[in-house]
Amino acid sequence: MATPSRRPKIQEKSTQQVWLRLCDPFIRTDGNLICPIIKAESSIRVLYTLQEKDLKSILHEVFRETGMKTQEMKLYKSPSDIDLQDNLLIRCVSPDVINEEKLNHFRERLRFHLSNNTTVRNISVDRVHSSEDLIPQPMVSEPDFQIHKLELCYKTLSKTQPDSEETDGKSFIRDSIKKVLDEFKEKRTKIAILSQNGKGKSFFLNLLFLLTIDNEKEYWNNNRKLKLPKDITGDPTIEQLGETINQLPDVVKDFLKTYENTQEKFKAVLGPICYELKYAGPPAADQSKRLFSSLPHYFKYGARIEAEPYILPEKDLQNSYESTTKCIIHLRYGTCYQIKVDYFSSEDLKQQLYELVSLSKNDTANEDVEIGLNKKIRDKAYECLLNRFAILTNCNIADIKKVLQKYKKYSDIVLCREVEQFAGRSELYFGSGKNSSEDRLALKAILKGLTSPQNSDSKKSNWKYKLTAVKEIVVYIPSKFLYGGKEILEMPGTDDSDALALDFINKALNMVDGVFVLNEFSLKIAETEVKDILVNSDFMKKWKKYPGRYPLMFLAYPEKNANFQFKKGEREKIEIMENTEMEKRSTDLKEFCKLIEMRSLPRNMESAIFTSYILPVLHTSIHAQKEAPHEVIHEHNAFLKKTGINKLISHLDAFICSSRKTDFMRVQDTLTTKETNGLLAEHARALIQLHKIREAKAIRESTVFRQYDQYLYNLKNNLELVYSRKLDGQIAHTLAKMAQESLGMWDLHEGSITTLGVFNPYFSGNHPTYKVKISRIILRNIEDLKREIFAFLEMKITELLKVFKKNVTDLFTQELNSVLEIRGYKSIDSRIFVTQSIQDVISNAQQWYVGRQMKPITEYTVEKYLKQSKKVILKKHILIPAYTQTDLNYAKQLVRENIYNAVMDLMKEMKKHLLKLHRTRWDSFCSHLNSKNNIPKLWQVLLSELKKSCNSANTQPSPQDDLSKYRY
């Protein structure tokens, strides 16, 4: 008999467990390089940090679909010295076996729900066996992170339905955040790159852009909602476009923001100056890809790279003597490739060219006065002006000296027809936003034509005229390096530059927030011209006063030297270079002390100077390796830490965030719920009950609102009176004193002026060719005047805003007290309650009148307007009258006669700027005080606080409570 089979034992279901790592993967760029940066909106780590509840909700849905449940989630920081980003680890459990098929299903559903419900599009999901099993991840820019938080706050508040007065009472929070966001996006931190020609400015920037550019998928996705000017239907005015402007290319938006007449027709204004980028064709794209293919070889084999310029034109060996950057090139972030080109006006060009009249005389007296650098600049100016004159007038160079003899004033010069057609105008070019490579190559071709005279296309069209007449170029690039508020200014080299190029450099250094000083090894052996221009610039004056506000960066870029070229396996060699960095910094700081004539640097100045070696070729070559991105970054982390590129990016990010810290803190204060005191719930209930009676509410509120509008009207009139009349009387004596000082300075320097060229109006009295500067003679020091004007404005504005606040507080207090008395509550004073309720809103509005980021009423703004006004009055009263004379002595006599009127006319120009600024700030102020239906927000907030007091025991969570996770 067969032995009966044993009955199988029933096994209990066991719970399976697995740890998963959720990471931001490295994405390869348009040039197939590993991009080291990710946008905050695309990061799973940022999603977890700011929207953990949303992420958990998605994971719960994925669990429902896959049977895997998340039991624990945490960000794990590496305890080692390896510079790794945080890894997000989750512990998942399942009643079933967790095999690879189940994990793949989990990955698929998680990616699906993230793409559909968040802005995260890419995510790496891996099984890990240890919490120390970490991988590197791309960096998130700190300014980008902070702005993303603000955007989340704004979106959350925008979802709140305005179905009650209480909700309307919170609208000021949303409006405040929107204003901060708009200003952050419009206010770019400008960084200039200063060096001689041929030091690699363009090459360095091209590598940074190649490393951080959007790939084709990102490019298409970011431009899905892009609307080109041709897509605008009908014939609207600029004003009628409304929010549609925000869908247009950045180059068009920025142009329209500065266009004053918004009643003009959009198509009439933009039609003649807008052009779509034209693709160069497949051969150009194929050649570009081939030339980038050598990038990995530099690190892998130590081989020389042969890569063509990515965006900016670079010098080649054949034409290495020729400068490639003719003017200032502004580099900004844009979702698609775009470029704006501004050309000199006919008057500017004629003023520049007329200088040949005085230079061609070659007076021996000038040889005695202009020596050293000025003589060199003058000789270079003569050479450049000859060539520009020949092109701009279609005159033969051999005949120019004869032609010049017939000119009595600059207006006699006749520009050729081709130049007159575009002089003084702007041209806007933009891509379709559909194909990154095509748009980039088209933009690069235009930029080459505007900066390189060797461009073969320039002989076939009017490019040679445009190249000679170009004034400024603004390029928009979809680079994550520029994202978050950076603007890079590439300038002409300081050596072998004519007066026009030096003027470009000086103007750039006047406007920037920070400066890269680029040299091969150290500041000590940097060129004299570079040091002189830096030390004598307006930027350096600002830096000495407030070093923490203006970053100064000395970058050594030594990769042309074989000793500073590193390949795989040379880790010890690059560590030796790292050990010399502290010594290099010490040398740079000592040299800088000598330049600014100080024995030693105070701690605040020393900490404000950033010094580093940068090895962009090495950094880029490592990111061009073909292996899995996270493996490449992890394996070669020791090299990447020493290239200086990540350190440079982090330093700029930290500076931008530091400069905006005050505004972030103000947003935090706005989002913080504050308790109000001074009224009992029964008092608040009595007030609300009366205002629920429609007839009583309409009568009482109309009376309050009329008085409120009158206070607002009085404030506006009184502020305008301060700018238009009271300021004149305040500084009249100071201006008269400055006029006498200017006459005295003229007596000292008049004899040193030996040529009419010093009066060239284009240079605004600061001609780099001549040692005598008219701007340093007339109104040479406006520091005291600036302080006096700002102190007066600050005092008067503060007084008037304080009076307005008191009047409104009194008005609302009287209204509440009156209602309380009607309801039977006598001798109840609501002042404390009113004051606390409206404090935040009215203080926020007052701060917006003074300004935050864009056009604030500060000492810096007053100084900027004084300088602009000074240029106007110098041109009007001094430079143009003198420059149009043929007799030097008579020109000097005119200057003496006009000095007093010029100085006293300064405030007339200054008032134009101040009144325009007042109108801008007033609009911002009123937008924070009045709702769209013209009801005072202060009143809405007051009623909202009354309702909260009525129901203090059963208060529902406020929008601020919902936003607590976004606080700073």
Side-chain angles (χ1 to χ4, degrees), residues 220-367:
W220 182 88
N221 188 61
N222 290 338
N223 291 297
R224 282 180 305 162
K225 298 181 181 179
L226 183 68
K227 190 183 287 289
L228 302 182
K230 67 180 181 182
D231 300 327
I232 301 297
T233 57
D235 192 21
T237 64
I238 295 172
E239 185 178 47
Q240 288 171 341
L241 286 175
E243 290 298 315
T244 305
I245 287 180
N246 294 323
Q247 296 177 269
L248 294 168
D250 302 277
V251 68
V252 177
K253 283 190 290 188
D254 286 350
F255 178 83
L256 293 177
K257 285 173 186 174
T258 59
Y259 199 81
E260 293 190 356
N261 190 356
T262 58
Q263 300 306 313
E264 289 192 47
K265 297 292 185 179
F266 170 78
K267 293 182 179 178
V269 173
L270 273 296
I273 63 173
C274 283
Y275 306 88
E276 287 190 47
L277 294 172
K278 294 182 180 179
Y279 177 41
D286 293 340
Q287 181 187 13
S288 178
K289 288 180 181 178
R290 279 199 310 273
L291 288 173
F292 289 127
S293 64
S294 67
L295 278 170
H297 301 159
Y298 177 86
F299 179 63
K300 203 167 187 177
Y301 309 114
R304 178 184 175 88
I305 66 168
E306 297 291 344
E308 76 165 18
Y310 190 68
I311 291 288
L312 301 170
E314 299 168 8
K315 293 181 181 179
D316 54 40
L317 293 175
Q318 184 179 357
N319 299 307
S320 60
Y321 59 87
E322 184 65 53
S323 173
T324 51
T325 307
K326 306 296 183 185
C327 64
I328 303 298
I329 300 178
H330 298 252
L331 298 155
R332 300 174 179 172
Y333 177 82
T335 57
C336 72
Y337 290 96
Q338 305 153 69
I339 183 171
K340 182 182 81 152
V341 187
D342 290 330
Y343 298 99
F344 285 116
S345 67
S346 296
E347 185 177 33
D348 284 341
L349 291 172
K350 291 176 182 180
Q351 289 173 356
Q352 295 164 16
L353 296 179
Y354 187 69
E355 191 157 332
L356 272 173
V357 174
S358 57
L359 289 176
S360 62
K361 293 179 181 179
N362 197 24
D363 291 339
T364 55
N366 291 350
E367 297 291 338

Side-chain angles (χ1 to χ4, degrees), residues 71-241:
Q71 285 199 336
E72 184 180 352
M73 185 184 307
K74 63 179 180 179
L75 274 179
Y76 189 84
K77 296 178 181 292
S78 171
S80 67
D81 61 350
I82 301 175
D83 184 19
L84 297 177
Q85 297 286 339
D86 299 342
N87 280 210
L88 178 59
L89 302 179
I90 61 173
R91 183 164 63 91
C92 296
V93 295
S94 171
D96 303 319
V97 175
I98 302 178
N99 54 23
E100 195 58 33
E101 181 180 353
K102 195 170 189 66
L103 285 177
N104 285 336
H105 188 210
F106 180 87
R107 292 185 185 103
E108 176 191 333
R109 300 315 299 164
L110 179 57
R111 287 169 181 153
F112 172 80
H113 286 292
L114 285 172
S115 296
N116 283 358
N117 299 288
T118 73
T119 54
V120 177
R121 295 289 176 265
N122 295 289
I123 180 176
S124 171
V125 183
D126 301 298
R127 183 172 185 166
V128 295
H129 302 285
S130 168
S131 60
E132 295 182 2
D133 187 7
L134 305 178
I135 64 171
Q137 294 177 88
M139 67 176 73
V140 177
S141 164
E142 186 64 21
D144 176 22
F145 177 70
Q146 298 291 353
I147 291 174
H148 181 59
K149 282 201 287 188
L150 282 181
E151 288 176 333
L152 287 176
C153 291
Y154 179 72
K155 288 176 183 177
T156 302
L157 286 169
S158 297
K159 290 177 183 177
T160 305
Q161 295 298 321
D163 54 1
S164 67
E165 288 187 52
E166 181 176 355
T167 303
D168 289 337
K170 308 302 181 189
S171 65
F172 78 93
I173 304 175
R174 183 183 65 243
D175 294 344
S176 296
I177 294 173
K178 182 66 165 61
K179 288 281 186 181
V180 171
L181 268 173
D182 290 343
E183 290 214 338
F184 277 5
K185 290 177 179 178
E186 290 180 21
K187 176 75 167 64
R188 302 177 179 96
T189 301
K190 296 180 174 64
I191 309 292
I193 302 187
L194 180 66
S195 79
Q196 274 195 328
N197 286 306
K199 296 301 179 184
K201 295 190 299 292
S202 301
F203 185 68
F204 167 52
L205 290 173
N206 276 328
L207 290 178
L208 280 180
F209 298 144
L210 175 63
L211 193 65
T212 59
I213 213 75
D214 287 346
N215 59 33
E216 289 289 356
K217 186 176 180 180
E218 291 174 312
Y219 190 74
W220 182 88
N221 188 61
N222 290 338
N223 291 297
R224 282 180 305 162
K225 298 181 181 179
L226 183 68
K227 190 183 287 289
L228 302 182
K230 67 180 181 182
D231 300 327
I232 301 297
T233 57
D235 192 21
T237 64
I238 295 172
E239 185 178 47
Q240 288 171 341
L241 286 175

